[in-house]
Amino acid sequence: MAKFLTDSPRDIELAGKLLRAGTLVAIPTETVYGLAANAFDEDAVRRIFLAKGRPFIDPLIVHVPTFAQAGSVADTSNPAAAKLAERFCPGPLTMVLPKKNCVPQIVTAGEPTVAVRMPRHPLTQKIMASAGVPLAAPSANPFGYVSPTTAQHVQDSLGDKIGYIVDGGSCDCGIESTIVLVGEEIRILRLGAITREEISECLGAPVALSRGLMEAAAEGARGNDGARAQLAPGMLKKHYSPHAQVCLVDDAEREFPPLLGEVRRSSSREKYAFVFQKRPTRLAGAGGDFASVENVFWLSESGSAADAARAVFALLRKLDAAGYEKIFIEKCRDTGIGAAVNDRLSRAAAK
Ligand code: TXA
Ligand code: MG
């Protein structure tokens, strides 16, 4: 089991010392928990990939306290980078920028670019200051599994592989940062806690959403991505997945009652869970459809997409732990942060 560290000055100092010395430490951020290592220490970074079972072809995000410090690992001269940083950093935004030579190849999987993020969580900021080095950190989950939003989630799935977890409570956003490629072209590579609408508004033009590095590989792109596709066939598209099978529905109020009825009548012993976006209005079912509601859940009391984002990974983990084999889950409305929630849900449901 990993040792939990607190937000006490002593533990923060210890976390910084451990990180500088090449030890892996799981840390909270406002998005999800990350599994951090000194980005300049190749052996430490290699241990991140091994602990997660992550293929070495999938590059890591480098975390620094300020945009000025991003300049130590990346070329930040693109005016769009400054614009985005001014509005969203520190915060749940990751920019993919031309990398500097000091960043080891293992961090960027050989790419000429590096993903840089400046987390705003006060405890993350303190840990970064204490470490005094940029921190390479992917989400602290086994590769492909649901991301962690509490220290206990990290303990549950990586506790036997790492020594330390800093406990910063539950993550505020609950889903990962938005990744923006800031080059000659500007594109969103991963939807996340900052919305596409906000990014477009900040830059004064609509920003396209394109496939991330690994998705491009999964779809068999040529060049570098072709090599990626060969190295990790079939494992790149499905992500954020619980062990249970996930099935998405558009409108739970309409689609769940007949499904629930069917499940009740069938002789199957499989455990099914039903997840609404919003607390259902007719829990007991007008026509007595819901004989038992113990397997009915919801992501938000009021239908807020931000609440759904905060809750979605924790609920998927809880349903896995409770032994559900199939999870029917309602899609979020597809705008704002709801689009990022749907992105995670459709990857969780991918075969
Ligand atoms: O919110 C977050 O971003 C969290 C916290 C811990 O900061 N981190 C996170 O890291 O989600 P990870 O490793 O789970 O996801 C990073 C994504 C990967 O899909 C990776 O392919 C992409 O970023 N990425 C990293 N470097 C890249 C690069 N140079 N070009 C394109 N994509 C890159
Ligand atoms: Mg991840």
Side-chain angles (χ1 to χ4, degrees):
M1 284 288 107
K3 184 171 167 21
F4 285 119
L5 302 179
T6 68
D7 59 358
S8 72
R10 222 175 105 179
D11 278 4
I12 290 167
E13 196 193 319
L14 173 62
K17 206 184 262 174
L18 289 163
L19 284 162
R20 251 192 331 277
T23 305
L24 303 190
V25 180
I27 60 169
T29 80
E30 68 275 22
T31 56
V32 300
Y33 275 71
L35 181 56
N38 177 349
F40 294 144
D41 183 333
E42 290 185 39
D43 285 338
V45 172
R46 184 169 298 112
R47 288 198 296 278
I48 293 182
F49 285 94
L50 297 176
K52 279 182 60 91
R54 178 181 179 114
F56 287 101
I57 50 174
D58 192 3
L60 306 181
I61 298 175
V62 174
H63 299 70
V64 292
T66 63
F67 183 58
Q69 276 159 286
S72 66
V73 292
D75 174 356
T76 54
S77 63
N78 189 321
K83 251 193 201 170
L84 288 168
E86 194 184 336
R87 167 99 181 256
F88 301 113
C89 298
L93 176 76
T94 296
M95 288 191 260
V96 173
L97 297 164
K99 97 187 235 316
K100 293 222 163 135
N101 282 338
C102 60
V103 181
Q105 297 276 347
I106 188 168
V107 172
T108 62
E111 288 295 308
T113 52
V114 60
V116 194
R117 168 157 127 73
M118 292 129 260
R120 70 165 177 238
H121 193 301
L123 187 46
T124 326
Q125 283 282 340
K126 284 183 193 161
I127 295 165
M128 288 188 296
S130 167
V133 287
L135 300 179
S139 50
N141 50 294
F143 182 72
Y145 192 61
V146 182
S147 298
T149 57
T150 67
Q152 187 60 45
H153 291 161
V154 183
Q155 184 72 278
D156 291 343
S157 51
L158 286 180
D160 58 341
K161 300 207 167 57
I162 62 174
Y164 301 89
I165 304 167
V166 181
D167 190 347
S170 294
C171 298
D172 203 27
C173 304
I175 57 169
E176 297 83 352
S177 62
T178 303
I179 303 181
V180 181
L181 172 67
V182 185
E184 277 171 34
E185 248 188 297
I186 299 186
R187 286 183 277 134
I188 295 177
L189 302 180
R190 177 177 74 185
L191 292 170
I194 292 175
T195 67
R196 183 175 176 185
E197 294 87 337
E198 288 172 304
I199 304 274
S200 301
E201 196 224 312
C202 170
L203 296 174
V207 175
L209 173 65
S210 79
R211 294 177 305 184
L213 212 55
M214 298 295 276
E215 287 162 277
E219 281 159 33
R222 279 182 287 281
N224 271 349
D225 289 342
R228 264 182 242 280
Q230 273 185 356
L231 280 164
M235 64 196 294
L236 303 178
K237 207 167 177 183
K238 189 172 170 67
H239 226 82
Y240 312 107
S241 303
H243 303 306
Q245 187 190 345
V246 174
C247 302
L248 302 185
V249 308
D250 290 310
D251 179 355
E253 294 264 354
R254 187 169 52 81
E255 295 172 66
F256 280 175
L259 274 172
L260 267 159
E262 219 171 277
V263 167
R264 235 185 342 141
R265 285 188 299 276
S266 91
S267 54
S268 159
R269 302 181 74 96
E270 266 190 307
K271 275 184 82 178
Y272 295 88
F274 294 85
V275 182
F276 289 81
Q277 281 295 321
K278 181 183 170 190
R279 174 194 271 275
T281 47
R282 303 174 302 139
L283 254 195
D289 279 339
F290 300 95
S292 152
V293 293
E294 60 162 20
N295 56 341
V296 170
F297 305 86
W298 50 91
L299 288 170
S300 149
E301 289 296 316
S302 63
S304 140
D307 287 351
R310 203 170 293 123
V312 64
F313 287 151
L315 182 62
L316 291 176
R317 279 178 176 259
K318 180 174 122 180
L319 298 179
D320 252 357
Y324 285 100
E325 286 146 283
K326 196 161 182 175
I327 304 170
F328 291 98
I329 183 161
E330 184 181 26
K331 285 189 214 157
C332 209
R333 63 174 179 280
D334 210 37
T335 57
I337 199 170
V341 173
N342 285 342
D343 169 79
R344 302 305 187 270
L345 290 178
S346 56
R347 285 169 211 271
K351 298 283 175 341

